[in-house]
């Protein structure tokens, strides 16, 4: 057996390969993105990016119905998008095993909310495994696919940011070889969810959950670890590691499957202790079920319900003592506030919207950073694709003068994810708002993944590139204009004119991301500031470019300088300077 170091996401990809998964589909989203990127290392798996999570799950369902094993991955909020087919899939069951990986994000490192997707398992009546390290991430992926077929059910595999991105030693195995061939098999009573069939399948689901609850009491993934016998702890996932570190003397019931719970095993364990804790991250998901069984426990009465449950937070909650880090930094780390990259084509768009005093209904992407000072040009952000519908709704209730200020801003990948539906509604219902699509030819926020507008597949193969202008016109938008956001004056002229137009218009600000892999984006030589011409007016600072630094002690009022290590010569800042102080190339 070979041993290696893998992250949780790498281990899930390896587990999918070893389990004989034939199809893997996903929409990128932190912290789940690397699962699909690593699956491409295994050519026996057909892996692809989908336009959104609902489509990804539907692709997985199709593969399962054809008899192949399938894995679908998404971040926690992606499950909201996929929820419609998910709940009915629980009724139909599967043919080939199907696993949905939900990667939750406690502490909101890169998300708009902190929802605990264990609740989806109970809501959709689906089993859920929760690994505590990379070895379990691999093992549980394989196990979940087997359980999916054994009990005729889709299965959740829940990871969290700490599991997805941290590495630990993993023993890897060989791929299975005895899976049945794929084929068409008609079974409409099982796969066509008309009410008459669905009523019967609901009974099947309830019986399945009951059988799984009893079965789980005997399985090694739910295990008891004996300590000193005075304190009992019920836990799962990464919280198990924190419990072991903080309460090394405690007896622990470690749950590998958090739904359905092995109730008899829990009753037997709980009967041994006067003091029993449920240690879990975010919601009291296990705790509430244990309390409903009539068992007294300590949980969220002492543990935080918000944010990651770090060892330090757990220690403070249990003992009242602050945790002392093993390796405190000798010097304070430099502050790195979130900011758009140097050369980002979105920067001038938000500068323009700020100057035009637009009210921006925003969306999910790098460009959400348009909210930050000094650009300060995003006023709402709810979820993927919401910007256009939000703009429509606001325009409906405002007077004509204020409605003209409403601009929906959305990225190319997000527009193709779910934004197009909002645009159809906007046209269909005669809205008068403006839509601004920031087309940088990639899904930049999650690490520059391909999408249907990039012209390439996950594997890097050339593919058809969606024509966004034609797509907008096809749903009825009469006014579609493309601008180069590196031309500040023209961009401002076009956006201002379209905001004044009393009907739907779309402005596409097209310029490839400076970090995109294959478009002809050439990093230009760094620009420099002529100190003799710089008057200290700070106009260039309005861009918020991290390459422009301010030296307050230079000259009478201070002067700007350009960091040649960061500047990529995009040419925006010379357009801001009224004294021709920026230009040329840095000698550095």
């Amino acid at each position: 057996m070979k041993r290696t170091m893998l992250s949780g996401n790498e281990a899930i990809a390896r587990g999918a390969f070893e389990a004989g998964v034939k199809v893997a589909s996903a929409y990128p989203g932190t912290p789940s993105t690397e699962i699909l990127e690593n699956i491409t290392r295994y050519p026996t798996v057909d892996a692809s990016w989908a336009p959104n999570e609902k489509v990804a799950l539907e692709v997985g369902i199709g593969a399962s119905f054809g008899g192949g094993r399938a894995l679908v991955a998404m971040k926690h909020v992606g499950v909201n998008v996929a929820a419609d087919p998910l709940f009915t899939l629980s009724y139909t069951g599967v043919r080939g095993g199907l696993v949905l990986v939900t990667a939750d994000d406690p502490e909101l490192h890169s998300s708009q909310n902190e929802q605990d997707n264990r609740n989806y398992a109970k809501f959709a009546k689906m089993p859920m495994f929760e690994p505590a390290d990379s070895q379990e991430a691999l093992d549980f992926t394989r196990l979940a696919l087997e359980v999916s077929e054994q009990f005729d059910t889709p299965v959740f595999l829940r990871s969290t940011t700490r599991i997805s991105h941290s590495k630990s030693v993993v023993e890897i195995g060989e791929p299975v070889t005895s899976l049945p061939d794929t084929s068409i098999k008609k079974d409409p009573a099982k796969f066509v969810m008309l009410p008459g069939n669905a009523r019967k399948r609901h009974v099947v689901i309830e019986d399945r959950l009951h059988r799984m609850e009893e079965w789980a009491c005997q399985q090694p993934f739910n295990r008891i670890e004996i300590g000193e016998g005075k304190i009992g702890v019920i836990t799962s996932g990464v919280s198990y590691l924190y419990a072991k570190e903080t309460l090394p003397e405690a007896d622990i019931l470690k749950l590998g499957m958090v739904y359905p719970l092995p109730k008899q095993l829990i009753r037997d364990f709980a009967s041994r202790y006067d003091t029993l804790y449920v240690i879990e991250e975010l919601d009291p998901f296990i705790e509430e079920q244990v309390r409903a069984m009539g068992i007294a426990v300590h949980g969220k009465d002492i543990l935080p319900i918000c944010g990651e449950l770090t060892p330090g937070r757990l220690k403070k909650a249990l003992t009242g003592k602050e945790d002392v880090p093993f390796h405190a930094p000798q010097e304070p780390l430099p502050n790195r506030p979130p900011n758009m990259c140097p050369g980002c084509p979105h920067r001038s768009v938000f500068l323009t919207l700020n100057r035009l005093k637009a009210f921006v209904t925003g969306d999910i992407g790098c460009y959400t950073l348009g909210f930050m000072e000094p650009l300060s040009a995003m006023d709402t952000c709810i979820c993927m694709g919401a910007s256009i519908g939000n703009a429509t709704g606001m325009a409906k209730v405002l007077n004509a003068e204020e409605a003209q200020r409403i601009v929906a801003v959305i990225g190319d990948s997000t527009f193709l994810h779910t934004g197009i539906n909002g645009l159809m509604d906007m046209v269909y219902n005669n809205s008068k708002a403006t839509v601004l699509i920031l087309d940088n030819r990639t899904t930049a926020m999650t690490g520059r993944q391909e999408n249907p507008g990039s012209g390439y597949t996950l594997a890097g193969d050339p593919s058809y590139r969606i024509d966004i202008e034609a797509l907008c016109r096809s749903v009825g938008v009469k006014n579609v204009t493309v601008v180069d956001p590196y031309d500040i004056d023209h961009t401002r002229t076009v956006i201002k004119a379209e905001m004044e137009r009393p009907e739907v218009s779309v402005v596409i600000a097209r310029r490839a991301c400076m970090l995109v892999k294959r478009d002809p984006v050439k990093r230009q030589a760094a620009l420099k500031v002529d100190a003799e011409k710089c008057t200290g007016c700070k106009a260039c600072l309005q861009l918020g470019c991290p390459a422009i630094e301010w030296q307050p002690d230079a000259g009478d009022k201070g002067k700007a300088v350009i960091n040649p290590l960061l500047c990529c010569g995009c040419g925006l800042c010379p357009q801001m300077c009224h004294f021709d102080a920026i230009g040329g190339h840095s000698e550095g």
Side-chain angles (χ1 to χ4, degrees), residues 40-66:
T40 60
R41 298 164 57 190
Y42 308 108
T44 57
V45 184
D46 183 317
S48 60
W49 292 128
N52 62 43
E53 294 85 353
K54 178 175 181 287
V55 174
L57 179 56
E58 289 160 349
V59 169
I61 291 171
S64 170
F65 286 179

Side-chain angles (χ1 to χ4, degrees), residues 110-148:
S110 184
S111 303
Q112 67 268 39
N113 72 30
E114 203 172 26
Q115 70 189 46
D116 185 336
N117 274 9
R118 292 179 300 172
N119 294 295
Y120 263 116
K122 187 171 185 292
F123 197 9
K125 301 179 183 292
M126 286 170 49
M128 173 178 279
F129 287 93
E130 187 172 30
D133 55 26
S134 296
Q135 183 66 66
E136 286 194 345
L138 189 156
D139 293 343
F140 285 4
T141 301
R142 294 188 59 154
L143 175 64
L145 286 155
E146 295 168 1
V147 168
S148 175

